[in-house]
Amino acid sequence: MPFTTTIITGATSGIGKETALALAKKEHAVYMLVRNIQKGEELRQYIISTTKNKHIYVIECDLADLESVRNAAGVLKSSLLGINILINNAGGIFAQRQESKNGNEMTFAVNHLGHFVLVQCLLPLLERGHARVINVSSEAHRMAKLNFKDINWLKRPYSAWYAYGTAKLFNIYFTRSLAVKYGSKGISAFALHPGLVNTSFGTDITGWGKWFLWLARPFMITPEAGAQTTIYLATATRIDAKSGKYFKNKRPAKTSSLATDEVKRNQLWDISMNLAGPFLV
């Protein structure tokens, strides 16, 4: 039987797929939380046939729908005694402003709030499994345009890249808050930059962002290479002392100065908890 129970969001493509495959090869029991069940089942069969690991599972979860997140957590709580690794990998950038089912700006919802609710719902399992929570952030956090009075981009011109950078900043805040608040309960947390990865990310972006991605394409790394820091954080021993850190290339790295702002980090926690509240009952 597999020793490590691992949950991963956004596993059906890109670095999520490579991460799920690599951890299955290491005999983790992998639970893939996916929006598209058909793609999830196809990937499940592929991983089983490739690795001979039969402990691969698919659970429907739409991070833009907090009720769906709560339901997915309910399935896990009814199936598992504990969780050892939670990889919050799913994310996205949206060319035009969109709203989630719960009325939140989509970049904020998918990259941060859905994962926030997932962690809160799974806390008993995470504590029982002395879990590592791994949040896939990005160097794009340095582009953040932080405005807690307009977190849903209603009062200012929407920018896909600034919204994405802000959400990636939130991943780092969330990581540090988890380490501070739940470290005494056996939970550790890590954020990471996967690198500039050649995936379908940002294909609908227009303007200067489209040209940037086009120019950067020859220098991008493969999804397999982009998954390496996530895999490292999920499997390395004796790294709990580095809980709360931001990693690049398997090593702790410096963040922007804004990412170290404790007051703003706590503000985000309070805002997120207020939005999550109705789905934590």
Side-chain angles (χ1 to χ4, degrees):
M1 291 289 291
F3 178 75
T4 303
T5 298
T6 296
I7 316 299
I8 180 170
T9 67
T12 55
S13 64
I15 62 175
K17 178 179 178 180
E18 295 296 336
T19 301
L21 178 61
L23 295 179
K25 288 178 179 178
K26 294 178 181 293
E27 299 187 335
H28 288 219
V30 180
Y31 290 76
M32 301 183 296
L33 273 54
V34 303
R35 184 178 57 181
N36 187 319
I37 286 291
Q38 181 179 344
K39 284 187 177 181
E41 288 293 344
E42 290 171 356
L43 177 58
R44 175 178 175 271
Q45 293 301 324
Y46 171 74
I47 291 176
I48 291 173
S49 65
T50 301
T51 67
K52 310 305 178 187
N53 180 349
K54 296 182 180 180
H55 300 279
I56 312 298
Y57 308 93
V58 175
I59 297 172
E60 185 175 7
C61 181
D62 181 355
L63 290 164
D65 178 353
L66 298 181
E67 186 173 352
S68 173
V69 175
R70 179 173 63 182
N71 291 342
V75 173
L76 291 169
K77 286 190 283 189
S78 67
S79 306
L80 300 174
L81 294 176
I83 293 170
N84 306 119
I85 307 291
L86 170 59
I87 303 173
N88 292 323
N89 167 79
I93 186 170
F94 302 90
Q96 306 297 325
R97 186 186 180 279
Q98 301 178 40
E99 287 192 357
S100 71
K101 184 174 180 179
N102 311 105
N104 298 297
E105 189 275 318
M106 190 68 80
T107 320
F108 170 68
V110 172
N111 290 276
H112 169 69
L113 189 59
H115 287 131
F116 184 93
V117 170
L118 181 64
V119 169
Q120 292 301 317
C121 288
L122 293 177
L123 271 177
L125 296 185
L126 296 171
E127 291 176 11
R128 215 167 290 144
H130 297 283
R132 291 180 189 176
V133 179
I134 300 168
N135 297 315
V136 178
S137 181
S138 170
E139 281 291 274
H141 81 272
R142 300 180 190 279
M143 297 193 303
K145 296 293 184 181
L146 190 54
N147 184 344
F148 284 130
K149 293 182 179 179
D150 188 25
I151 203 164
N152 284 313
W153 293 82
L154 289 168
K155 300 176 183 177
R156 50 185 165 154
Y158 175 78
S159 162
W161 283 106
Y162 290 149
Y164 180 73
T166 303
K168 295 293 103 178
L169 171 68
F170 290 169
N171 294 155
I172 297 173
Y173 282 161
F174 185 36
T175 299
R176 180 62 181 160
S177 289
L178 289 174
V180 170
K181 294 177 181 295
Y182 301 119
S184 63
K185 297 183 179 181
I187 296 174
S188 56
F190 306 87
L192 70 105
H193 170 61
L196 195 56
V197 184
N198 192 356
T199 67
S200 59
F201 174 86
T203 51
D204 63 340
I205 293 297
T206 59
W208 66 266
K210 179 178 181 179
W211 286 106
F212 167 76
L213 290 173
W214 182 79
L215 290 170
R217 193 73 62 187
F219 306 98
M220 290 181 176
I221 61 176
T222 66
E224 182 179 7
Q228 293 309 304
T229 299
T230 303
I231 296 165
Y232 167 76
L233 291 171
T235 58
T237 57
R238 297 189 295 275
I239 64 168
D240 287 348
K242 297 175 183 177
S243 180
K245 299 290 187 181
Y246 172 72
F247 279 71
K248 287 171 58 179
N249 298 319
K250 303 182 185 179
R251 296 179 180 180
K254 288 186 177 180
T255 64
S256 69
S257 59
L258 182 59
T260 66
D261 191 314
E262 185 175 348
V263 172
K264 289 182 171 59
R265 174 172 63 79
N266 288 330
Q267 280 183 278
L268 175 67
W269 184 273
D270 291 342
I271 290 168
S272 302
M273 189 62 77
N274 183 57
L275 292 170
F279 302 93
L280 304 181
V281 178

